[in-house]
Amino acid sequence: MKRDFITQTIVLVAFFAAVTYVATSIQVPMPALIGKPFVHLGNAAALLSVLLLGYQRGALAGGMGLALFDLTHNYVLDAPYYFFEVFVVGGIAMLTFQALNYRLKPTTTKLVLIVLSAIATKLVTTTGHNFVMALIKGMTFQPAVIATLSALFPTLINCITTMLVVLVVYPILGQQLRTKLSPAKS
């Protein structure tokens, strides 16, 4: 029985890592003064991984998917950051999930609050990352702030996209998988 659970865990983490990788690959480039930001569905896939698989397995799957995308698309320096960012964003989402007792009493309002907590965290962490990267690239304070603000629009679009996708997909998949998967441990 334990062997089946381990096999199931490996398969699910690999599957959701692949889904996150593919979802990140579907992208629309956006203009910015720093980096090459793009709108994609990878953040939504990573958050769905956390909500469906639980914190540890889901964050590992989402982080691996985003990091593999970065490693294979010439964003090598960003890969470790986005791998760990999934654990921070996913952790906040799961704390909110548990605080609202979503599993026992799921409502759309609670799900909106869970996703809002995740995207607010994502917005803060990504904005901070963009500012630090601008400074590392040699910008002084004021140009770094301007560059960071220019990258804010694509981040906001990604957050809105994540919100919409998760609000539509999670209720469907969550209900379908709840009976088929072993209970996800946080």
Side-chain angles (χ1 to χ4, degrees), residues 16-17 34 40 60 84 108 114 122 136 140 170:
F16 278 96
I34 188 158
H40 59 87
L60 180 62
F84 288 112
T108 303
I114 292 164
K122 172 71 177 164
I136 288 172
T140 58
Y170 180 74

Side-chain angles (χ1 to χ4, degrees), residues 38 52 94-96 117 136 142 149 151 167:
F38 48 89
L52 293 168
M94 287 310 291
L95 284 173
T96 308
S117 72
I136 288 172
Q142 190 172 10
L149 291 175
L167 288 177

Side-chain angles (χ1 to χ4, degrees), residues 35 56 60 80 103 121 124 134:
Q56 293 172 339
L60 180 62
R103 191 171 309 280
T121 304
V124 169

Side-chain angles (χ1 to χ4, degrees), residues 98-118:
Q98 292 168 350
L100 295 175
N101 204 16
Y102 184 83
R103 191 171 309 280
L104 293 177
K105 297 178 184 174
T107 65
T108 303
T109 303
K110 288 180 181 180
L111 184 57
V112 168
L113 291 172
I114 292 164
V115 178
L116 280 174
S117 72

Side-chain angles (χ1 to χ4, degrees), residues 114-167:
I114 292 164
V115 178
L116 280 174
S117 72
I119 63 174
T121 304
K122 172 71 177 164
L123 190 61
V124 169
T125 57
T126 299
T127 301
H129 174 256
N130 289 342
F131 180 71
V132 169
M133 290 305 290
L135 292 174
I136 288 172
K137 291 180 180 182
M139 291 184 183
T140 58
F141 183 80
Q142 190 172 10
V145 168
I146 293 168
T148 301
L149 291 175
S150 79
L152 195 56
F153 182 69
T155 303
L156 284 170
I157 298 297
N158 275 323
C159 288
I160 292 167
T161 304
T162 297
M163 173 77 113
L164 295 174
V165 169
V166 173
L167 288 177

